[in-house]
Amino acid sequence: MTQTLLVIDVQHGVIDGAHGRDQVVGNIGELVTAARDAQVPVVWVQHNEPAMTIGSDDWQLVDELDPADEPRVDKQYRSSFEDTSLPGILENLATRELIVCGAETNYCVRHTIHSALERGFDVTLVADAHTTSDENAAQVIAEQNDNFGNYRLPGRTCHTAQTADVISDWHTSAS
């Protein structure tokens, strides 16, 4: 099964001030490095809207992450699939499973996962690599991890895994 790491909205205007920001960004950085080592494609999603225009400081990905020559998706809606280039990118990569991380848990991450499942993808939500700036962030994150922990639809599944477990699986698959 071809996997793709999908990094959603890890931008200054989205994640700065989010719950556990530094740990989440660190985990995402580890995932990106491990994905590249395992030859798992990485796709970057960046949200834009009138308050966060393309090219603005808020629109930029956080400084700790360094996208290589990897696909980028510009989006305006909560779902990374809605009116974007993502479906075509995933088709070209022959993706069957998305490994999802990023922000915001209760908005773009959740909507993207539901859209992916509706389109027939399997999904792994990296439980310690997504966050939100919601005032009840820890509860929101735990709830989404629980909701997607063992979610099945006909012919596709969604589950959660910790960063270390995803990386371990990639190392095992690459061996």
Side-chain angles (χ1 to χ4, degrees):
M1 172 173 299
T2 303
Q3 296 179 325
T4 295
L5 177 64
L6 188 64
V7 182
I8 301 172
D9 299 352
V10 188
Q11 301 160 257
H12 289 289
V14 177
I15 201 167
D16 286 356
H19 177 78
R21 179 227 183 263
D22 293 344
Q23 182 65 46
V24 168
V25 170
N27 289 344
I28 292 170
E30 289 180 29
L31 287 163
V32 169
T33 298
R36 289 172 180 157
D37 290 347
Q39 298 183 357
V40 171
V42 179
V43 176
W44 301 85
V45 178
Q46 287 176 268
H47 187 79
N48 72 82
E49 58 185 48
M52 193 167 66
T53 57
I54 294 173
S56 68
D57 289 341
D58 282 347
W59 176 84
Q60 300 298 327
L61 294 168
V62 297
D63 299 337
E64 298 94 325
L65 300 177
D66 186 25
D69 186 23
E70 296 156 333
R72 290 201 191 191
V73 174
D74 290 318
K75 73 172 182 63
Q76 295 179 333
Y77 303 100
R78 290 180 181 175
S79 170
S80 299
F81 286 90
E82 193 65 38
D83 196 25
T84 70
S85 60
L86 183 60
I89 291 168
L90 297 176
E91 182 177 340
N92 288 340
L93 294 171
T95 301
R96 295 301 316 135
E97 180 182 2
L98 290 176
I99 311 300
V100 175
C101 59
E104 295 233 69
T105 299
N106 46 335
Y107 297 106
C108 299
V109 171
R110 178 171 56 99
H111 286 273
T112 296
I113 290 172
H114 282 293
S115 293
L117 289 165
E118 289 168 358
R119 287 167 171 78
F121 294 96
D122 291 314
V123 177
T124 297
L125 172 61
V126 186
D128 58 351
H130 65 97
T131 189
T132 183
S133 56
D134 189 276
E135 67 181 52
N136 300 312
Q139 179 181 346
V140 168
I141 292 164
E143 181 179 311
Q144 293 307 311
N145 285 339
D146 184 58
N147 288 343
F148 291 120
N150 191 20
Y151 185 53
R152 298 190 185 289
L153 293 169
R156 58 218 185 267
T157 62
C158 182
H159 68 277
T160 59
Q162 298 294 313
T163 297
D165 295 327
V166 172
I167 291 171
S168 176
D169 288 348
W170 285 337
H171 285 290
T172 301
S173 297
S175 300

